[in-house]
């Protein structure tokens, strides 16, 4: 059974969402029997990918279905525990790819929580009234404000190193150093103290933002949430749009979503995305809801990326194709370029989807062909790709074109804070200016190549051979080496907390996830809870 | 036999250095039979750690023994090949720790080559007249200027991914994207093209800086070298100082250098460094030469770090202690704070030695005790440490003190471009200002703790227990988890090309170096040259 990233509140097993005016409360209440691996009991609000899929769904619904919510309180519904972090048994039995994908997805969700605070007027507040350990504290770290009850039992902890021989790698280490800017020796003490830190020291070391006596807890949380909500620019009186179930059909090796078909070519070890542009001019997004093309296409693409990442690991190459009228894509872009909260949410959703592409460990090849619609936001697919081939002839109908729009110059920054074009032309900012001059033009292959926007303009007579050779060659290389190569070449220029999480932190965690001291027969993840101490390779590298 | 990092030109087997006025020429001429693994023949100017130890020695001697040299030409003495990169057989048979340490050391050497151009007036020129592949091209990438002969045979290439299933990780990928700012799709093409790129395309893509017809090659290289040398601020008429052999004695578990003793505590899995301050006021560095304390101590510490990294992998904790008169350390700092080329070289040498400490995968604990001399440059040892304990009592003689100096506020930046104090106080720049106010004071434990300069001031009565508990606890953790933890916590704040090389790039390479597709029985490194194709795990992660 493939892992399904689609869910809805009625099917949630692990969370409750309550909305009361401007403040929403999301309560973690993990069902121990609800794990995606049947033999891993999710005790103490520990989580697995299934729990996090529901959390991601909550994040998304708060954004789209609740424009009125200006602050989100994250709390535990279980007495005595906030959250014990990622489930260790699950980590012990999951294969390497599952662990890596699990961490990637949970990182993306936490970054979406931060994005909500930073650009969507929806800050999250972690109300930590009991121990928050490992991934539990990392979840709090993703919130804009952390409150800790001042009693003997409530602690924050990152016990991964002493307890498990792995890293707090759902952003934990990076948020300590870069977000909370905790002194490195204190961070070192904290990360090697299995029992964690509580009370005044947690506040003094900036591990939390606020310490509250138990007697004043509920009132203080409510007051802080109200104060946060009061800073929000979200419209209190607006009505959200319902994220009704995303339709998807899997028929053999063809997967179909609205506006998107993905064809799985197993012998070729590749998946071919065909994203279709809008059928007509954009209508009113509020009236159209999930049928509004920019939203529908983003939902489809998001689900496709997540599905393929986890369920189709052997398809190491994603071919990105589009089909449609570039003018209608540009019109759709224009419809969300300005406007109200909903337009903003749709823009931010595209930003997140495109970032998912950037950190997907798959080779990305974009093919710009006659009949395609790489315009504006969809042109970002070409700029996200490792290679982009452009057909240099008409081949029966109109020639292949690439059409830049305002969306390529700021709406969809990468994790490094730059646009994909700025990153592409890091050494030649004048090339970004030249591209900007071409906004709105239907650039043919020659023009696009001259502007440096595509890797290669290919003569029609050579197109099929060139594409086939490229795809076959890619499939012949070491998948691991390609993942590592792409993770380096895609992120030129500045690093941010976000890129450091996916770069430095995750790369080290993935290394640890291969090491006998963590995952060997006698490693810490395998031995956890067995009563037998793990055995470590004593050699440093 | 331990690997010895000490060498001298008379013992070199792989390089020739010729100095002609302002221009030096370093010729690579690897002795195929001179590898450090006897069964790995170093064909085609391929290199192993032994070759790179000699290169590092050349870099160092050019700095200290040749103040008159304003430009260095790097060339091959072998016809038909510039350099084929790291020796593959060596990589195939070396264990994980050796590979990781090999890459770390070669990266440090290439960064030293760049530092020579940037701050020491000694730019390197790569004269590539034949194929430069993999590590061979990476060596050229570290130079300030790359010349390529324009013929059919001379190419630059990074064939690691298609050929070996590993990364160009001696800075290659990062220098493509961040130093040469090559467009990512071109970098992707380049890194997947086994045969490399030559001629006009190499120049157009900025893979090289200058293309020269064969008939004009010698003259053009000479002219370019002379032009580079003309920009140098190094004194043409100065006399260098001889880097005479570094004395070291290994007696059981005690290793002694001038001013430094390292005691190996194998049961405790730790090495205790005791660095002794100067015996008197500094003399004239030109007259004292290698006996001049700041230079002698740096040489000793540098060799100790390198020796322990490679030869003592199971000693996962380095305890940093000092002994001496803080006032004399401050006087020594003052003697190199300004002055001529030699003072500058000694300052830069300390910068490099301290950076080696930052990227060493060992837990670093500094102990500030009565009688110690953590002053100025030596205080950087405390700031480089993951933890620093300070004795809060006199214990018979003078109390333990920490003494800041100007050297702590700019002379020794970390790889991230910030000082260790700026990195430490990333979230509190006012703490850096407060520390600056304390320059020259003998800070006791209470004062140092109040300024945030030490992790903990420890009462004398608790000192022994506290230290023992910390060291024993550290030895009980997973060495791998600690390496990964420390590599994250030490580098808060901005990333630079340098930190990205040791962070993102090296972490990914170390991951690849664990993967079956590279190092398994049927992996690419093992199968290389066998005539049998490697087998790759098809799954992406």
């Amino acid at each position: 059974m493939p892992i399904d990233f689609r869910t809805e509140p009625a099917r949630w097993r692990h969370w409750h969402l309550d909305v009361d005016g401007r403040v929403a409360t999301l309560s973690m209440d993990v069902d121990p029997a609800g794990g995606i691996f049947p033999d891993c009991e999710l005790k103490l609000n520990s989580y697995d990918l299934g729990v996090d899929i529901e959390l991601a769904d909550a994040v998304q619904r708060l954004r789209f279905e609740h424009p009125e919510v200006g602050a989100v309180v994250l709390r535990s519904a279980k007495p005595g525990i906030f959250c014990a972090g990622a489930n260790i048994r699950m980590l012990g039995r999951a294969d390497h790819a599952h662990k890596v994908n699990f961490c990637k997805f949970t990182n993306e969700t936490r970054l979406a929580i931060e994005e909500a605070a930073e650009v969507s007027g929806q800050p999250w507040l972690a109300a930590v009234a009991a121990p928050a350990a490992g991934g539990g504290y990392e979840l709090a770290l993703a919130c804009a404000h952390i409150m800790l009850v001042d009693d003997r039992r409530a602690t924050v902890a990152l016990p991964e190193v002493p307890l498990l021989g792995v890293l707090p790698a759902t952003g934990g280490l990076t948020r300590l150093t870069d977000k909370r800017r905790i002194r490195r020796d204190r961070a070192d003490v904290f990360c090697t103290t299995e029992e964690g830190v509580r009370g005044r020291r947690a506040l003094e070391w900036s591990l939390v933002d606020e310490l509250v006596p138990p007697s004043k807890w509920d009132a203080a949380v409510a007051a802080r949430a109200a104060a946060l909500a009061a800073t929000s620019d979200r419209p209190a009186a607006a009505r959200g749009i319902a994220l009704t179930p995303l339709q998807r059909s899997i028929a053999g090796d063809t997967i179909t979503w609205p506006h998107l078909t993905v064809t799985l070519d197993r012998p070729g070890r590749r998946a071919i995305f065909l994203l279709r542009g809008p059928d007509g001019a954009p209508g009113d997004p509020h009236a159209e809801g999930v049928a509004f093309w920019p939203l529908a296409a983003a939902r489809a693409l998001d689900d496709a990326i997540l599905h393929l990442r986890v369920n189709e690991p052997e398809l190491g190459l994603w071919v990105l194709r589009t089909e449609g009228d570039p003018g209608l894509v540009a019109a759709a872009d224009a419809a969300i370029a300005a406007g109200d909260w909903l337009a903003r949410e749709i823009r931010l959703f595209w930003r997140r989807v495109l970032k998912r592409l950037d950190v997907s460990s798959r080779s990305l090849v974009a093919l710009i062909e006659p009949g395609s619609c790489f315009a504006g936001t969809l042109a970002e697919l070409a700029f996200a790709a490792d290679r982009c081939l452009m057909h240099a002839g008409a081949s029966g109908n109109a020639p292949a074109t690439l059409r830049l729009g305002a969306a390529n110059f700021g709406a969809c920054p990468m994790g490094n804070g730059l646009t994909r074009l700025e990153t592409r032309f890091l050494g030649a900012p004048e090339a970004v200016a030249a591209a900007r001059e071409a906004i709105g033009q239907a650039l043919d292959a020659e023009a696009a190549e001259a502007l440096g926007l595509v890797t290669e303009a290919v003569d029609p007579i050579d197109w099929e051979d060139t594409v086939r050779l490229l795809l076959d060659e890619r499939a012949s290389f070491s998948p691991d080496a390609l993942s590592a190569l792409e993770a380096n070449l895609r992120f030129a220029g500045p690093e941010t907390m976000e890129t450091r999480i996916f770069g430095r932190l995750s790369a080290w965690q993935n290394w640890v996830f291969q090491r006998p001291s963590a995952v060997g027969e006698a490693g810490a993840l395998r031995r956890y809870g067995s009563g037998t101490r793990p055995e470590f390779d004593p050699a440093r590298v």
Side-chain angles (χ1 to χ4, degrees), chain A:
Chain A
M1 276 292 290
I3 290 172
D4 196 338
F5 288 81
R6 299 169 305 161
T7 186
E8 57 189 327
R11 293 163 53 207
W12 291 355
R13 296 185 66 166
H14 310 296
W15 301 87
H16 315 297
L17 180 63
D18 301 291
V19 175
D20 181 10
R22 293 286 273 169
V23 174
T25 300
L26 184 67
S27 301
M28 191 174 200
D29 192 10
V30 176
D31 175 359
I36 51 173
F37 296 137
D39 53 338
C40 296
E41 194 186 351
L42 303 179
K43 292 182 193 169
L44 298 171
N45 264 356
S46 63
Y47 61 85
D48 65 4
L49 181 56
V51 176
D52 229 74
I53 286 172
E54 294 183 5
L55 173 61
D57 189 54
V59 173
Q60 185 79 332
R61 288 177 194 280
L62 280 160
R63 303 281 284 270
F64 280 98
E65 299 190 341
H66 297 285
E68 79 281 12
V69 168
V72 181
V73 176
L74 177 66
R75 64 180 286 278
S76 166
K78 292 219 187 309
I81 184 75
F82 179 77
C83 167
N87 184 271
I88 313 304
R89 269 186 203 286
M90 176 276 291
L91 287 178
R93 89 189 273 298
D95 63 22
H96 186 65
H98 184 89
K99 278 199 281 285
V100 171
N101 271 299
F102 166 70
C103 288
K104 187 172 287 177
F105 181 74
T106 56
N107 271 317
E108 290 172 321
T109 305
R110 279 134 199 81
L111 287 163
I113 289 172
E114 278 172 338
E115 188 209 58
E118 288 157 15
V119 288
S120 184
Q122 202 172 65
W124 287 49
L125 186 171
V128 181
Y137 176 51
E138 288 179 307
L139 195 48
L141 280 171
C143 294
H145 190 83
I146 307 176
M147 300 178 77
L148 181 69
V149 77
D150 189 15
D151 67 13
R152 311 267 327 155
R153 289 178 35 259
T155 51
V156 295
L158 290 177
E160 284 86 346
V161 169
L163 198 62
L164 303 167
V166 299
L167 293 190
T170 310
L173 296 185
T174 312
R175 287 197 176 82
L176 288 186
T177 56
D178 284 56
K179 184 179 186 181
R180 304 194 68 90
R181 301 187 163 197
I182 291 168
R183 230 174 64 197
R184 52 174 284 196
D185 54 346
R186 287 177 168 172
D188 184 276
V189 172
F190 177 58
C191 294
T192 52
T193 302
E194 193 176 317
E195 65 274 21
V197 170
R198 62 182 162 77
R200 183 161 307 280
R201 170 171 279 195
L203 184 64
E204 280 174 5
W205 286 17
S206 191
L207 295 164
V208 304
D209 297 293
E210 193 175 353
L211 199 60
V212 180
S215 62
K216 300 185 179 165
W217 179 250
D218 290 339
V221 170
R224 178 65 61 187
L228 280 175
T231 69
S232 174
D233 64 356
R234 293 174 75 88
R239 282 188 55 199
I241 61 158
L243 297 179
T244 53
L246 175 62
Q247 300 305 311
R248 183 181 78 191
S249 69
I250 301 183
D253 285 333
T254 302
I255 315 178
T256 309
W257 294 259
H259 311 292
L260 175 65
T261 301
V262 174
T263 310
L264 313 181
D265 174 357
R266 298 189 189 282
R269 294 217 173 120
R270 66 192 73 132
I272 297 98
F273 288 59
L274 181 63
L275 187 63
R276 285 176 297 278
D279 295 323
D284 172 15
H286 293 275
E288 295 191 3
V290 293
F292 184 60
W293 180 86
L295 178 54
R299 288 183 88 197
L301 188 56
D302 199 45
D303 190 58
I305 292 169
L306 294 171
H307 174 80
L308 291 174
R309 267 194 201 165
V310 167
N311 298 305
E312 299 289 352
E314 298 199 2
L315 305 181
L317 173 62
W318 293 350
V319 180
L320 306 176
R321 301 178 59 223
T322 62
E323 185 179 78
D325 180 341
L328 291 177
V329 176
D333 272 356
I336 59 168
D340 63 1
W341 69 271
L342 179 55
R344 178 171 77 180
E345 286 304 339
I346 297 172
R347 289 198 304 274
L348 293 173
F349 188 18
W350 269 104
R351 181 196 289 200
R352 295 195 296 281
V353 175
L354 290 163
K355 283 181 179 178
R356 276 208 214 279
L357 211 47
D358 294 331
V359 298
S360 290
S361 63
R362 299 293 188 279
S363 296
L364 305 174
V365 174
L367 300 180
I368 307 184
E369 300 152 288
S372 70
C373 58
F374 286 93
T377 300
L378 294 195
E380 290 293 309
L381 298 175
F383 305 143
D386 300 299
R387 304 263 193 107
C388 176
L389 299 187
M390 187 159 179
H391 190 284
S395 185
N397 48 24
T401 60
L402 175 66
R403 179 173 166 152
L404 297 172
N408 307 116
F409 296 87
C412 298
M414 299 173 60
N416 65 5
L418 304 181
T419 65
R420 285 177 189 77
L421 285 180
E422 285 167 342
T423 305
R424 182 178 186 83
F425 297 125
L426 200 62
E430 70 281 6
V432 179
R436 194 189 291 270
E437 292 294 314
I439 285 179
Q441 296 176 24
L443 301 169
D444 64 12
E446 194 182 355
E449 191 181 45
L451 286 167
L453 299 171
V454 299
T455 312
E456 194 184 347
V458 179
D459 197 77
I461 205 166
D462 298 324
W463 177 258
E464 272 190 42
D465 282 350
T466 303
V467 171
R468 196 187 60 246
L469 282 172
L470 168 58
L471 304 187
D472 288 349
E473 182 193 62
R474 204 81 178 181
S476 74
F477 296 150
S478 159
D480 291 333
L482 288 174
S483 292
L485 175 76
E486 292 150 6
N488 279 278
L489 295 185
R490 290 178 188 169
F491 292 93
E495 297 256 3
T496 61
M497 192 185 76
E498 183 170 337
T499 61
R500 282 157 64 90
I501 287 171
F502 290 115
R504 183 183 282 269
L505 181 61
S506 296
W508 274 108
Q509 177 77 308
N510 295 352
W511 175 79
V512 167
F513 275 160
Q514 288 283 301
R515 299 284 291 164
S517 294
V519 295
E521 284 303 324
L525 287 177
R526 295 292 190 90
R527 286 268 169 96
Y528 180 77
S530 70
T532 310
R533 286 187 57 82
E535 291 164 25
F536 297 134
D537 176 353
R540 289 280 194 129
V541 292

